[in-house]
Amino acid sequence: MLPGSAAPAAGSGMFVPTQTVGTVLCCICGVSMQPNPANMCARCLRARVDITEGVPRHAAVVYCPDCASYLQPPRSWLRAGPESPELMQILLRRLNRPLARLRISLSGAEFVFSEPHSKRLRLKLRLRREVLHGVVIEQTHPVEFTVHDRLCDACARAQSNPDQWVAVVQLRQHVPHRRTFLYLEQLFLKHGQASLALRVASAPGGLDFFFSSRSHAARLVDFLTTVAPIRTQTAKQLVSHNTKSSVYNYKHTFSVEICPICREDLIALSPQVSRDLGGLGPLVLCIKVTNAIALLDPLTLRVHHLEEKKYRAYNFKAALTSKQLVEYIVLDIEHESPEITVDGSRYQLAYAQVARASDFGKNDTMFTVRTHLGHLLNPGDLALGYDLYGANLNDDDMDTAMMRHSLPEVILVKKSYEKRPRTRRWKLKRLPVEEDGANKAKGEEEKRADEYEEFLRDLERNSEMRFQIDLYKDEDYRSEMASTIGDDVPSVPIEELIDDLSLGDDDEDEGEDANAHAGMVA
Amino acid sequence: MATRIQFENNCEIGVFSKLTNAYCLVAIGGSENFYSAFESELSDVIPVVKTSIGGTRIIGRLCVGNKNGLLLPHTTTDQELQHLRNCLPDQVVVQRIDERLSALGNCIACNDHVALTHPDLDKATEELIADVLGVEVFRQTIAGNILVGSYCAFTNRGGLVHPHTSIEDLDELSTLLQVPLVAGTVNRGSEVIAAGMTVNDWTAFCGSDTTATELSVIESVFKLREGQPAAIVDDMRKSLIDSYV
């Protein structure tokens, strides 16, 4: 070896003589071994040196039996299954401090089986520590955790008062029908927004959603701002407060009011509003309501989207609503301009000669009107529209409009189909809403059923609306109407339907499986 | 014969004493037990001298010597030098040398014929060593350590080296020194051999932490058992066996 030089690098061209390590005797037991920093054989080391001295052998964890979660001091509760990695993490975190203090590092840990009802969790740790002159020893060490049961704060509160709510969202719309709420209900189901609600109650004019935390309620309100034109007001009421820690408990109320303009409403705009919106004709039809209102001028086929804030500035009401639609028979159609697509929907300007269904055959009253439904109507069709000729309205704007412009006598809104009680091959899910028993009027149930039927018919007609919600395949559908599916009554194509999840009995499953299999092979 | 002793509750004997075939140096201070241990073994054969070097007690690591001479670092005071010259026998040449590496006991290990030195020692010092101690000087390292004086202890009959010394190194050193060598430990696994023990041709003193295994290794490699039982048997055989008929 050259004096004072380090060992030359292998492959540098120098000859490096091989260095075989010699053996020494273990200084305690005398057995021949390879030299190590302690110069003691492994058995003597393990016998003399116990690295697990001072490592805790028992510890405690707190467990909430209701929600199967473990306490991570000081305040957070973490859900963990039995013998899961999350549970191991929680247990090891409780041992971190004492291990770090003793400068022991953890090289492995595993669960040792213990009965689930024994309230004991056992871990076997592999600890590593440096002793004596830089020797690193590894040793196993069992630790037993005692599980103490305690209800976490959320479960304790829920158990003591299950109906206790902290925030409520009061959803209201001041219109006589409940179509909006039926549609919103389907939207909530699709997006799972009502899953956090403690309960849902119906109130006159709307729905109430009760939540256990303010942030859940705020989440629902945020969702509503994206799907409907709403105005929100918040209020809070002090329930209790802790003087020592300055913690105040409130009940929060979100009053959400949906704009009263609905689809198929006829609105007469005042001259000022008409001018503000760019000369939109005094009569407009509302065709779509999302977080803005879409207003269509049926005579010029112009669509204007009005935001909630702007609407509040003008605050006009509907002159005629869909309850006041009258049936007409189309006698003749004359297309005036080609079919165009405005805002995703197709319209075509046409002159139509119509007569009221009540007049048809009795007298000769006919109206020639311009309509935007030229692409749908053919002579002999039935259509629904607003009868301005015979209507008696209590609307200042409508009076002004009548005086200044010549208004059409009829505004056709939609095509009507034969009303037949038909079975549908699809169905909808409903939200569990608590009915307000005290406020029920006599004819209320029938009215509700009618509204629901109308809503379903609307869904069939309107593919855009269907896109927003989930339709489920009705297992009980029997196609006895097969022979009559020749006419052009709109129905929902089967591709849009979702298979409902049924955790049912075996024959149902077998039947479904067979169908599915056949479908795949074909 | 190997003895286990302590200096003021410390097991590093080789730091506080220096043992050669012609004399023994012992540090001052502490209880008289340390001194009396050496006295009881050696006083009728060689002089045991109490001293300090440069006012310190770590004399074992500061000086180096054999039966021919003693080398002291430049930190030695004149009084100490004079004291040593007075106490030691006349044939021992006491010399103070000027060397940058002043802990001579850590840098140089020697017996009466060969010396191993720190690779960075001065050329002049090397010549002085050869002169005063009358030895052949080799620059070496032991198990990669340059402080050869600390990590090995050898006499004219055997030697003990750092436990991590490889077999090839052991062979090479053994050839150089012409004595059998073994890799081992002292003081319950300590690798600093020369600090833990001090040895000459017929005695060894080890720290009290030395285990029985280590002691037996030391006694066997330094041949301290003197082969007495074997000698007795030989003598007895001569008298026992009368004649073969």
Side-chain angles (χ1 to χ4, degrees):
Chain A
M1 275 184 286
L2 294 171
S5 65
S12 65
M14 272 203 229
F15 167 68
V16 178
T18 51
Q19 309 271 345
T20 35
V21 186
T23 56
V24 286
L25 298 185
C26 163
C27 65
I28 307 218
C29 60
V31 67
S32 174
M33 58 163 211
Q34 300 253 315
N36 65 36
N39 292 313
M40 286 200 260
C41 65
R43 290 178 69 195
C44 290
L45 264 180
R46 235 176 280 135
R48 310 270 151 165
V49 179
D50 180 18
I51 62 169
T52 67
E53 209 175 343
V55 178
R57 286 194 181 78
H58 296 275
V61 275
V62 182
Y63 170 71
C64 172
D66 261 3
C67 54
S69 44
Y70 291 85
L71 175 68
Q72 181 109 311
R75 219 171 289 143
S76 55
W77 291 82
L78 300 171
R79 189 155 292 189
E83 302 208 351
S84 62
E86 295 90 31
L87 183 57
M88 167 107 42
Q89 213 174 20
I90 295 171
L91 296 178
L92 289 178
R93 246 181 247 148
R94 297 194 57 78
L95 292 176
N96 241 354
R97 192 74 61 73
L99 287 183
R101 212 182 305 137
L102 293 168
R103 290 201 196 89
I104 298 179
S105 66
L106 190 66
S107 69
E110 58 180 13
F111 277 108
V112 176
F113 173 73
S114 60
E115 301 282 333
H117 61 80
S118 64
K119 301 285 175 212
R120 300 281 184 278
L121 295 167
R122 272 194 238 131
L123 275 185
K124 187 150 54 171
L125 305 174
R126 302 184 66 77
L127 302 173
R128 204 176 270 190
R129 192 186 190 179
E130 189 187 299
V131 286
L132 293 185
H133 317 267
V135 191
V136 175
I137 308 183
E138 201 172 271
Q139 194 173 339
T140 61
H141 177 69
V143 183
E144 191 174 287
F145 288 86
T146 309
V147 177
H148 298 285
D149 278 346
R150 185 172 18 135
L151 278 183
C152 65
D153 296 336
C155 294
R157 224 176 288 134
Q159 199 186 53
S160 62
N161 190 353
D163 285 334
Q164 177 78 336
W165 55 268
V166 175
V168 64
V169 176
Q170 293 177 318
L171 195 58
R172 301 281 182 268
Q173 190 185 29
H174 300 301
V175 281
H177 60 83
R178 291 181 76 91
R179 268 175 27 216
T180 323
F181 292 107
L182 290 172
Y183 176 61
L184 280 178
E185 182 189 331
Q186 295 303 319
L187 271 185
F188 289 149
L189 279 170
K190 169 145 183 160
H191 291 103
Q193 290 296 326
S195 57
L196 292 167
L198 294 174
R199 93 198 137 87
V200 181
S202 95
L207 293 171
D208 283 344
F209 296 83
F210 296 93
F211 294 92
S212 60
S213 108
R214 190 189 162 278
S215 51
H216 298 159
R219 180 178 161 201
L220 182 71
V221 173
D222 281 340
F223 173 70
L224 283 170
T225 44
T226 59
V227 297
I230 60 170
R231 181 164 64 164
T232 322
Q233 277 172 330
T234 57
K236 61 186 185 198
Q237 178 192 16
L238 185 65
V239 172
S240 68
H241 93 276
N242 185 345
T243 41
K244 299 257 176 63
S245 70
S246 269
V247 171
Y248 296 83
N249 294 328
Y250 290 101
K251 272 196 190 205
H252 300 266
T253 307
F254 293 83
S255 300
V256 178
E257 201 210 307
I258 309 182
C259 163
I261 307 286
C262 300
R263 241 164 32 94
E264 294 166 6
D265 277 357
L266 186 71
I267 305 155
L269 299 173
S270 72
Q272 188 213 2
V273 177
S274 177
R275 196 176 48 233
D276 278 346
L277 297 185
L280 213 53
L283 288 181
V284 285
L285 210 59
C286 176
I287 47 166
K288 195 158 67 159
V289 176
T290 54
N291 58 338
I293 312 166
L295 299 169
L296 167 75
D297 184 346
L299 304 176
T300 58
L301 288 188
R302 256 186 60 200
V303 175
H304 184 91
H305 293 273
L306 195 64
E307 277 176 2
E308 164 69 18
K309 286 205 251 309
K310 294 259 182 64
Y311 169 75
R312 289 293 158 197
Y314 305 132
N315 224 358
F316 44 75
K317 297 269 184 314
L320 287 168
T321 64
S322 53
K323 281 207 161 44
Q324 283 124 352
L325 282 170
V326 173
E327 210 170 22
Y328 287 88
I329 299 184
V330 177
L331 299 169
D332 195 16
I333 283 275
E334 207 178 289
H335 295 284
E336 192 186 314
S337 61
E339 199 171 309
I340 59 170
T341 310
V342 175
D343 199 33
S345 314
R346 295 192 312 219
Y347 301 110
Q348 190 175 23
L349 269 182
Y351 276 104
Q353 218 176 30
V354 294
R356 278 185 291 202
S358 52
D359 286 342
F360 192 63
K362 287 195 205 121
N363 52 31
D364 271 333
T365 326
M366 282 191 302
F367 306 101
T368 309
V369 287
R370 250 168 126 198
T371 171
H372 60 288
L373 298 174
H375 62 300
L376 284 177
L377 297 174
N378 298 305
D381 276 345
L382 288 169
L384 290 169
Y386 291 114
D387 185 8
L388 291 168
Y389 174 74
N392 191 356
L393 295 165
N394 182 15
D395 193 318
D396 288 338
D397 291 332
M398 186 65 94
D399 293 337
T400 329
M402 264 193 218
M403 282 196 299
R404 301 175 91 191
H405 309 262
S406 65
L407 295 178
E409 294 106 350
V410 180
I411 303 240
L412 293 174
V413 173
K414 57 185 179 181
K415 183 170 167 181
S416 147
Y417 303 95
E418 276 181 42
K419 288 198 186 61
R420 265 179 315 182
R422 321 164 51 234
T423 52
R424 294 187 174 83
R425 124 192 319 176
W426 51 273
K427 60 176 189 222
L428 294 173
K429 288 198 172 152
R430 305 294 311 263
L431 262 187
V433 176
E434 283 174 16
E435 290 298 327
D436 192 10
N439 273 349
K440 270 213 160 148
K442 282 261 179 66
E444 193 91 2
E445 297 243 10
E446 217 181 88
K447 213 164 56 153
R448 295 276 173 92
D450 280 341
E451 271 178 2
Y452 192 62
E453 178 63 33
E454 188 60 42
F455 174 64
L456 292 179
R457 238 178 265 138
D458 242 350
L459 272 182
E460 278 178 340
R461 220 186 299 256
N462 195 338
S463 66
E464 221 177 87
M465 215 158 80
R466 274 206 303 274
F467 181 68
Q468 308 282 340
I469 64 183
D470 282 342
L471 298 164
Y472 294 93
K473 218 182 337 194
D474 191 358
E475 298 300 328
D476 302 325
Y477 173 68
R478 301 279 169 263
S479 56
E480 73 247 349
M481 303 289 177
S483 56
T484 54
I485 299 181
D487 55 355
D488 59 344
V489 178
S491 63
V492 180
I494 196 165
E495 302 89 58
E496 295 187 18
L497 301 182
I498 304 174
D499 258 318
D500 200 0
L501 176 68
S502 67
L503 311 164
D505 0 316
D506 289 336
D507 9 345
E508 247 183 69
D509 279 345
E510 273 172 20
E512 274 175 45
D513 282 347
N515 287 341
H517 190 68
M520 283 200 309
V521 167
Chain B
M1 215 41 49
T3 326
R4 280 190 265 216
I5 54 178
Q6 266 188 329
F7 179 81
E8 285 185 357
N9 219 17
N10 187 312
C11 301
E12 308 290 323
I13 303 304
V15 175
F16 301 105
S17 62
K18 188 85 185 165
L19 180 62
T20 66
N21 289 330
Y23 54 88
C24 176
L25 302 178
V26 177
I28 307 173
S31 64
E32 285 295 309
N33 283 338
F34 189 62
Y35 181 65
S36 54
F38 281 94
E39 278 249 295
S40 58
E41 282 282 326
L42 305 167
S43 66
D44 36 353
V45 189
I46 53 173
V48 180
V49 182
K50 273 205 212 174
T51 181
S52 66
I53 294 181
T56 66
R57 300 190 293 180
I58 50 170
I59 59 172
R61 302 292 94 216
L62 289 179
C63 66
V64 65
N66 60 12
K67 72 171 175 18
N68 301 321
L70 176 66
L71 290 173
L72 298 167
H74 62 87
T75 54
T76 319
T77 63
D78 293 333
Q79 287 99 311
E80 289 158 355
L81 187 59
Q82 198 56 44
H83 172 68
L84 280 167
R85 283 222 176 96
N86 291 343
C87 295
L88 294 178
D90 291 331
Q91 61 266 41
V92 177
V93 179
V94 180
Q95 177 85 334
R96 181 168 57 184
I97 60 177
D98 222 342
E99 162 62 58
R100 182 180 65 96
L101 304 168
S102 59
L104 300 175
N106 284 336
C107 300
I108 307 163
C110 70
N111 63 7
D112 291 335
H113 309 290
V114 191
L116 296 178
T117 65
H118 190 291
D120 295 339
L121 217 61
D122 283 348
K123 202 79 180 102
T125 314
E126 197 181 319
E127 285 167 9
L128 253 175
I129 296 169
D131 224 2
V132 170
L133 300 180
V135 292
E136 219 181 315
V137 180
F138 297 104
R139 289 170 188 256
Q140 267 292 356
T141 64
I142 295 195
N145 296 100
I146 49 179
L147 292 177
V148 290
S150 311
Y151 289 106
C152 77
F154 63 94
T155 66
N156 298 321
R157 308 176 82 189
L160 186 65
V161 292
H162 189 288
H164 290 185
T165 316
S166 64
I167 295 186
E168 289 82 13
D169 286 352
L170 266 181
D171 286 339
E172 187 184 337
L173 284 169
S174 191
T175 327
L176 276 178
L177 303 175
Q178 296 293 314
V179 293
L181 293 176
V182 84
T185 66
V186 79
N187 276 343
R188 207 192 189 87
S190 167
E191 297 156 346
V192 194
I193 310 294
M197 60 177 284
T198 176
V199 63
N200 71 4
D201 282 350
W202 66 89
T203 346
F205 294 92
C206 307
S208 56
D209 271 352
T210 313
T211 59
T213 316
E214 289 164 339
L215 216 56
S216 71
V217 168
I218 288 167
E219 286 190 348
S220 72
V221 78
F222 289 110
K223 300 193 180 52
L224 299 173
R225 290 197 202 103
E226 296 177 27
Q228 263 170 341
I232 291 171
V233 168
D234 276 339
D235 288 336
M236 281 178 69
R237 192 177 288 131
K238 281 193 195 113
S239 59
L240 285 172
I241 299 172
D242 247 357
S243 58
Y244 291 104
V245 177

